[in-house]
Structure formats: C-alpha cells, structure tokens
Amino acid sequence: MSITISIKEKGRERDVVIPVEWKDITVKYWGELSTIIKKHYDEAIEDKKMSEENTHELLKKEFIELVDDIDLNPSQIAKMNADIFMYMTGLSKKDMSLVDVAQVEEVMSVINSLTEEYKPLGIRSFDLNEETYYFPSEFLREETYGDFIESTQLDMYIKDMKNGKYDVLPEQMAILCRRNDEKYDEDAIPEKAERFKELTMDIIWEFSFFLTRQSLNLTKLSLTYSQKAKQLQEQE
C-alpha cells in the first residue's frame, strides 16, 4: 500500500509514490530516514547543552533531565520535516521551498503512523530474490551458537555505523538466516548482508523480535544452569 503525491520539480509536475506500510519499506530506506530524524534530535540536544553552559549550577541537574526528554521546537520540527520530505521525494532545497504545506503534512502523517509499535506475526522464514531463508531455530546447537555469539557482537559497533542498528541488522541476518541447503561461509557474509539491505522492514522487525526472544531464552537457561551448579557445589 502507498500514497501518490504530485510535486513540482524544475517547473515540471511529477508523481512520487510514498510507502505507508512496513512491507513496502526496505531496511536501507528506513535506516537513512531514521538517521535524518536522529540528526535533528542530536542538534537539538547540542543546542540545549550550549544553553546549559549559562545555567546556574543549582539548576543544572534539572536541566540535564530536560535534555534527556528533549522535544523539538516548531522551527526545529519544520527543518526536520523538510529534510524528511526531500529525502522521500528526491527534491532539492530550492524546489522544496515551493511545496504545498498540505503535502508535507500528508507525508509526515505517514511517518507518524509508522512510529506505532509493530506487532510481530511470528514468521520463521522470508523470501528474497526467489529464494527462501529461515530464521535459526536451535541456537544451542554447537554449529549455530557460535554464529549467534558472532552476530550479537556486532551490536558493539552500532554507534559507529552511519545508520546505527539498521546497518547492523542485515549483517546479523546474513550470519544467522540461511537457505535449507546453505552452509555458513564467512567470506560470503559481506555480499549477502548487502543483498539483505533490500529486505523490507516487516521482515526486519520479525527477525529483531525473534532474536530478542532467543537472547532472553539463553539468559534464562544460563541462570538456571548457574543456580543448579551452585546447588550441587553446596551439596558437596
């Protein structure tokens, strides 16, 4: 599902299709969009920190709490919305100045609807380029547990990635999700991860929920094992 808006670029009208559902949005697209939004919030936080330098010492604690719960002012929101609209439509700043405000509001309503919590369907496989890939079902098998550890270590690099976790997730999936006849090949991961950047966000969210559940299960198993080991030591 999508909406189509007509915009004017270099004096000519053209239609732009705006995706409105997760199944129509790739992780690469959403990652770049999220980076635009994050940039504006980071700038707002920096502005607040600059104001903090002139804040009385007794008020600094309250000020820091305000920064942690940052809200953009109308001017900052307008700039962020313009950057989002330009990204989604491919317009230049010059052409952006001629856009109808109602069109910007229509596109932003799409973004707002996508911020609602995703409800997982519990899928265990997905198709890409006419091939079916499966989520790992048994992380405790020796051959996949090591891969699981390797994939989770990628989380350490999120802050260094241009699009944060949205750059990491395709690589995690490239490590853990495989075809039925596929064996792990470390050398093939970079190319596979690049292909997985074209996965849509509904699949990405499903995998993210799946990975979180598996991590929680492993944590529970580790705690149970530790408790039993402790009990055995006390009985000796």
Side-chain angles (χ1 to χ4, degrees), residues 26-40:
T26 67
V27 62
K28 181 180 179 181
Y29 184 95
W30 184 252
E32 292 175 352
L33 195 58
S34 298
T35 298
I36 292 172
I37 296 171
K38 182 178 181 298
K39 180 194 76 171
H40 284 275

Side-chain angles (χ1 to χ4, degrees), residues 3 12 16-17 21 32 43-44 50 71 108 124 131 169 198 203 220-221 223:
I3 61 172
R12 295 183 178 182
V16 176
V17 177
E21 293 184 298
E32 292 175 352
E43 289 175 354
M50 288 178 64
D71 284 321
M108 293 314 302
R124 290 292 181 271
E131 294 183 307
L169 279 166
E198 297 306 315
I203 302 299
K220 291 177 181 178
L221 285 171
L223 288 174

Side-chain angles (χ1 to χ4, degrees), residues 101-124:
V101 172
Q103 291 182 314
V104 178
E105 291 176 347
E106 184 177 9
V107 170
M108 293 314 302
S109 68
V110 171
I111 301 299
N112 290 335
S113 67
L114 290 172
T115 59
E116 297 177 3
E117 184 178 359
Y118 179 84
K119 297 179 181 178
L121 301 175
I123 69 168
R124 290 292 181 271

